[in-house]
Amino acid sequence: MKILVLNCGSSSLKYQMMDMETKSAMAKGLVERIGLPGAMLTHRPKGGEKEVIIADLPDHTAAIKLVLQAVIDPNFGVLTSLEEIDAVGHRVLHGGEKVSGSVLVNAEVKQAIEECFELGPLHNPANLAGIIACEQMMSGTPQVAVFDTAFHQTMPPEAYIYGIPYELYEKYKIRRYGFHGTSHKYVSQRAAVVMGKPLEKLKLISCHLGNGSSLTAVKYGKSVENSMGFTPLEGLMMGTRSGDLDPAIVPFIMKKERISGDAVNALLNKKSGVLGLSGVSSDFRDLQKAADEGNYRAQLALDVFVHDVKKYIGAYAAILDGVDGIIFTAGLGENSPLIRRSICDTLGCIGVSIDDEKNEAAVGQEVDISKWGARCKVMVIPTNEELMIALDTEEIIQKM
Ligand code: ADP
């Protein structure tokens, strides 16, 4: 089976042409600057040279048309015709409360995506535009929507309700939704394989640490807590996002800096986090370099980040009533032995003890980095959201 995986952003589009026999990408690519001058597509066939195409791309329909042309191009394409594509799997940010799993796209699903425009203003309109463009160009090819929020719909009310008047939840659906669901779902499934135990018997904490970061408590295969909230701003301090704050800080900044609510929102999303704190960069490699050179604020940003992760791990260990395994994934979780070491060094109380050699060597592969006999396993598991989307899509198509 061949599945096209699409991840449409407001002005960009990432894609992978997946071969489900080998569970790997035959080609992957990125379209940038959709609707802007200088739009371009970068296409990488597996094992081949990258191809860059500059084109006028006024909207997502034009972008997807170009992607489909690239995929079947006689020189650098990987298929002979679009007929070979069995299904399209779309990453969709927000499914609100109606969607608790991946679904075959129909009128009702499109309506649900549209109803969540306000909750995911940058992503949901682009996700829907991608779906409509595919319907126009590949009518008859089934499409599946895979939601970032869906995995967390198993959270119990005590985990998702905020301490504000209940009417606000009823009126506006203000509650915790949780994000990065596709990644947390994928790595927790893989962790069970690495541990050689059924997922349904495991209590796991999944740490997705990248530019955006979140933790999930996964109990017997189901998400019971995620550190992101109503939007992806809550939780850990991130690359440019503040994470948890006393909400009273928002009106205080508005008053003192004489700026609007929207401006504070932008400040907390784009100018805060390790970038705002350090004044150096949102990239953890730059921060580490600056900290090694004696930059106090860069070191402080790293310390706050590590402290935040530990705090959530402790809270989730309590929620789960014990932890069998901790998973590190995404850019930082997969690639920084130092961050993993710093986070784990006070977790002996929950049975964590990592092997320094295994920790140093673990890059880009699924591996258990715990010391032999440690009660709580620590694993590095590279995330693969595209494969998870393709697997969910395959499962749904096979049931049709
Ligand atoms: P996104 O949330 O944008 O998908 P990624 O998961 O790609 O982000 O993670 C990006 C982050 O991972 C960056 O801050 C980067 O500094 C960090 N990172 C990547 N490789 C390393 C590394 N070798 N050491 C430390 N940090 C790394």
Side-chain angles (χ1 to χ4, degrees), residues 14 24-25 66 78 81 87 108 113 118 147 164 204 208 219 224 291 348:
K14 287 188 209 149
S24 65
L66 191 63
V78 288
S81 102
E108 205 185 329
I113 297 172
E118 260 191 324
F147 295 82
I164 54 175
L204 301 169
H208 178 113
K219 190 172 188 179
V224 293

Side-chain angles (χ1 to χ4, degrees), residues 107-326:
E108 205 185 329
V109 171
K110 284 189 280 181
Q111 172 79 22
I113 297 172
E114 195 169 347
E115 280 169 16
C116 291
F117 275 10
E118 260 191 324
L119 299 177
L122 293 181
H123 296 87
N124 271 41
N127 301 151
L128 186 60
I131 288 172
I132 292 168
C134 286
E135 280 178 344
Q136 286 168 0
M137 268 169 300
M138 306 167 74
S139 66
T141 306
Q143 300 195 63
V144 169
V146 179
F147 295 82
D148 242 29
T149 50
F151 183 55
H152 302 302
Q153 279 296 307
T154 45
M155 285 190 292
E158 63 269 27
Y160 70 71
I161 289 290
Y162 291 120
I164 54 175
Y166 195 74
E167 295 73 32
L168 292 174
Y169 162 63
E170 291 179 314
K171 266 208 284 196
Y172 307 118
K173 297 290 169 222
I174 300 176
R175 49 158 285 178
R176 176 187 315 288
Y177 289 99
F179 296 86
H180 287 145
T182 310
S183 173
H184 290 297
K185 181 177 168 189
Y186 176 77
V187 296
S188 48
Q189 286 180 358
R190 294 305 308 164
V193 174
V194 170
M195 293 173 80
K197 292 191 175 154
L199 185 58
E200 296 71 29
K201 295 221 157 100
L202 291 171
K203 296 176 191 176
L204 301 169
I205 298 177
S206 165
C207 309
H208 178 113
L209 309 179
N211 206 4
S213 298
S214 76
L215 260 67
T216 296
V218 183
K219 190 172 188 179
Y220 310 142
K222 295 193 160 68
S223 166
V224 293
E225 260 285 6
N226 175 261
S227 57
M228 286 178 163
F230 179 58
T231 74
L233 182 56
E234 193 184 344
L236 306 169
M237 183 181 71
M238 309 177 210
T240 62
R241 286 174 245 171
S242 65
D244 298 332
L245 283 182
D246 178 343
I249 294 171
V250 174
F252 189 85
I253 297 177
M254 286 170 70
K255 216 181 282 171
K256 289 286 180 192
E257 295 279 310
R258 294 172 193 275
I259 55 176
S260 66
D262 283 348
V264 181
N265 194 32
L267 180 137
L268 296 178
N269 271 291
K270 299 193 176 132
K271 294 185 184 155
S272 299
V274 294
L275 169 69
L277 189 42
S278 68
V280 172
S281 170
S282 63
D283 191 299
F284 280 78
R285 285 164 292 201
D286 300 338
L287 282 187
Q288 194 58 58
K289 188 164 172 284
D292 290 345
E293 288 163 4
N295 184 312
Y296 165 75
R297 278 171 53 186
Q299 186 61 55
L300 182 63
L302 290 170
D303 292 346
V304 172
F305 180 78
V306 166
H307 179 88
D308 273 5
V309 178
K310 283 185 198 216
K311 197 163 72 172
Y312 270 98
I313 290 177
Y316 287 2
I319 296 284
L320 290 169
D321 192 11
V323 194
D324 300 306
I326 294 176

Side-chain angles (χ1 to χ4, degrees), residues 45-83:
K46 189 178 179 182
E49 294 287 308
K50 83 168 181 192
E51 200 66 40
V52 178
I53 304 167
I54 313 276
D56 188 23
L57 301 173
D59 52 29
H60 285 80
T61 309
I64 288 175
K65 196 168 172 192
L66 191 63
V67 169
L68 296 176
Q69 278 167 4
V71 164
I72 57 166
D73 187 275
N75 297 317
F76 51 83
V78 288
L79 302 177
T80 45
S81 102
L82 294 180
E83 311 274 286

